[in-house]
C-alpha cells in the first residue's frame, strides 16, 4: 500500500522501499526525484533555484495529482505509475506498467542504485537522430537504443 504526503509545494509518494518526490520546477515544469532504501537528498548541485509557482495538489482514492501551470502529473494509487498531461488533458508521457514495474532499481554499491524507467510508446511518434549510424532504417521508433555514444574510425 502506498502513502502520500503533501508539503508546501511538493508531493511525496511512499511505496515499499521507494520514495518519489514530485515538485514544481519553475513555470509549467515538474521535477521528479526517486530513491530506494532511503530519503531523497536535498542537494540541488548544479541546478538553478526555480521560481515559486502556484501549485495545486489533490489526493484522492484513485489518483494523486500535482498541477503546475500547464503541466499536470497524475500518480496512480494502484501501481504508483506517473502520467504527465498538458493543459488540455492530453497525455504527454506515461510510465508503462506490465509484467515488470515501471521503475526498476539495480544496486550498484553502498547506497547507490541505477534506475531504469519504462514509458508507454506513442504510436504516432517518430524518433530520428542519434548521430545517424550506418543502419538500414532512419525511424528509430520501437527500437531499443543505447545511450552510449560510439566512436568509430573511418
Amino acid at each position: 500500500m502506498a502513502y502520500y504526503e503533501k508539503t508546501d509545494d511538493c508531493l511525496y509518494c511512499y511505496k515499499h522501499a521507494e520514495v518519489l518526490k514530485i515538485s514544481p520546477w519553475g513555470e509549467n515544469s515538474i521535477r521528479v526525484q526517486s530513491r530506494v532504501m532511503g530519503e531523497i537528498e536535498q542537494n540541488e548541485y548544479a541546478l538553478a533555484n526555480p521560481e515559486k509557482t502556484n501549485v495545486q495538489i489533490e489526493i484522492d482514492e484513485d489518483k494523486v495529482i500535482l498541477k503546475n501551470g500547464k503541466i499536470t502529473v497524475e500518480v496512480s494509487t494502484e501501481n504508483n505509475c506517473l502520467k504527465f498531461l498538458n493543459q488540455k488533458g492530453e497525455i504527454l508521457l506515461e510510465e508503462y506498467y506490465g509484467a515488470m514495474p515501471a521503475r526498476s532499481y539495480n544496486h550498484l554499491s553502498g547506497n547507490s542504485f541505477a534506475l531504469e524507467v519504462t514509458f508507454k510508446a506513442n504510436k504516432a511518434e517518430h524518433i530520428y537522430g542519434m548521430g545517424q549510424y550506418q543502419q538500414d532504417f532512419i525511424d528509430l521508433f520501437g527500437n531499443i537504443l543505447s545511450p552510449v555514444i560510439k566512436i568509430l574510425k573511418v
Side-chain angles (χ1 to χ4, degrees):
M1 177 158 180
Y3 168 72
Y4 302 96
E5 179 182 19
K6 175 179 158 181
T7 63
D8 293 336
D9 61 351
C10 295
L11 174 64
Y12 286 88
C13 307
Y14 302 91
K15 186 168 184 176
H16 304 296
E18 179 186 40
V19 179
L20 283 176
K21 179 183 178 186
I22 305 168
S23 54
W25 202 256
E27 185 180 353
N28 304 318
S29 65
I30 291 174
R31 181 180 185 197
V32 179
Q33 296 171 275
S34 179
R35 176 81 189 248
V36 69
M37 306 291 288
E39 292 296 318
I40 293 177
E41 296 178 10
Q42 298 302 319
N43 301 332
E44 302 304 341
Y45 301 111
L47 296 175
N49 290 328
E51 297 176 15
K52 291 283 184 189
T53 58
N54 185 19
V55 180
Q56 300 169 2
I57 300 174
E58 301 172 24
I59 300 175
D60 293 329
E61 287 184 25
D62 297 336
K63 60 187 171 184
V64 180
I65 299 170
L66 184 142
K67 183 175 182 183
N68 182 30
K70 296 179 180 179
I71 191 164
T72 301
V73 64
E74 292 182 359
V75 184
S76 167
T77 57
E78 182 181 338
N79 53 26
N80 227 28
C81 284
L82 304 178
K83 183 189 304 184
F84 297 86
L85 305 128
N86 63 14
Q87 71 274 19
K88 298 175 188 173
E90 300 168 332
I91 297 173
L92 301 171
L93 194 62
E94 182 177 8
E95 286 183 317
Y96 175 75
Y97 184 84
M100 299 293 288
R103 290 179 297 279
S104 173
Y105 296 87
N106 298 312
H107 184 254
L108 299 175
S109 66
N111 63 355
S112 296
F113 291 83
L115 172 63
E116 183 176 317
V117 183
T118 308
F119 295 99
K120 286 185 178 178
N122 178 348
K123 293 182 191 272
E125 183 177 56
H126 299 280
I127 303 172
Y128 300 96
M130 298 294 290
Q132 296 302 324
Y133 300 124
Q134 295 178 0
Q135 54 202 16
D136 296 335
F137 48 89
I138 295 175
D139 187 359
L140 302 174
F141 181 79
N143 292 290
I144 297 174
L145 306 174
S146 172
V148 178
I149 298 172
K150 297 175 183 175
I151 300 174
L152 304 172
K153 290 185 180 180
V154 229

